[in-house]
Amino acid sequence: QVQLVESGGGLVQAGDSLRLSCAASARTFSDYAMGWFRQAPGKEREFVAAISSTNGNTYYVDSVKGRFSISRDNAKKTVYLQMNSLKAEDTAIYYCAAVPGIRGRVYTEKNKYTNWGQGTPVTVSS
């Protein structure tokens, strides 16, 4: 079982940046593909970004392409989500997720992920 702990959320103004972190307890973190999802009030949880277990392949939802960047540091067992040019519509609780991954594959479906963090809130004021 992998435990995930997100941090870095907060209240910012439109146009600002934030970097979210997700620390994992997995012994072999490098075996896991990672993803970020978000859930706004009254809405379903949606995919934001994903990174493969190896090769560093990434994938983003269209609404964040060019503004958000996902990365990982396997030595620190941490995945990051750099969020730039934040908009009010980015306001949500952001969740980190993990799944034992096939080499090079990214996962966008939330039902593929087997482990979830508790979430960190991001509020963007306009």
Side-chain angles (χ1 to χ4, degrees):
Q1 188 74 4
V2 179
Q3 291 189 330
L4 303 172
V5 179
E6 302 97 332
S7 60
L11 172 62
V12 297
Q13 294 186 335
D16 285 351
S17 298
L18 274 177
R19 188 176 80 157
L20 305 183
S21 299
C22 172
S25 67
R27 189 170 65 176
T28 53
F29 176 69
S30 58
D31 288 345
Y32 287 81
M34 303 296 296
W36 284 98
F37 290 76
R38 65 186 179 187
Q39 188 166 15
K43 295 188 177 181
E44 291 191 1
R45 192 171 300 189
E46 66 169 357
F47 168 78
V48 176
I51 188 166
S52 62
S53 59
T54 58
N55 300 334
N57 292 335
T58 59
Y59 191 82
Y60 301 90
V61 67
D62 285 348
S63 60
V64 308
K65 284 180 180 177
R67 300 189 299 121
F68 290 13
S69 178
I70 188 172
S71 61
R72 64 189 297 158
D73 184 333
N74 287 340
K76 294 183 178 180
K77 299 183 179 181
T78 300
V79 64
Y80 304 97
L81 185 67
Q82 178 67 44
M83 306 187 294
N84 299 327
S85 303
L86 282 161
K87 304 176 181 180
E89 50 263 44
D90 295 318
T91 294
I93 297 177
Y94 283 72
Y95 297 90
C96 172
V99 58
I102 297 172
R103 182 182 177 88
R105 180 175 174 180
V106 293
Y107 298 81
T108 63
E109 310 92 337
K110 56 181 180 286
N111 62 2
K112 297 292 187 184
Y113 286 86
T114 55
N115 301 275
W116 292 84
Q118 82 290 346
T120 186
V122 173
T123 303
V124 184
S125 63
S126 57

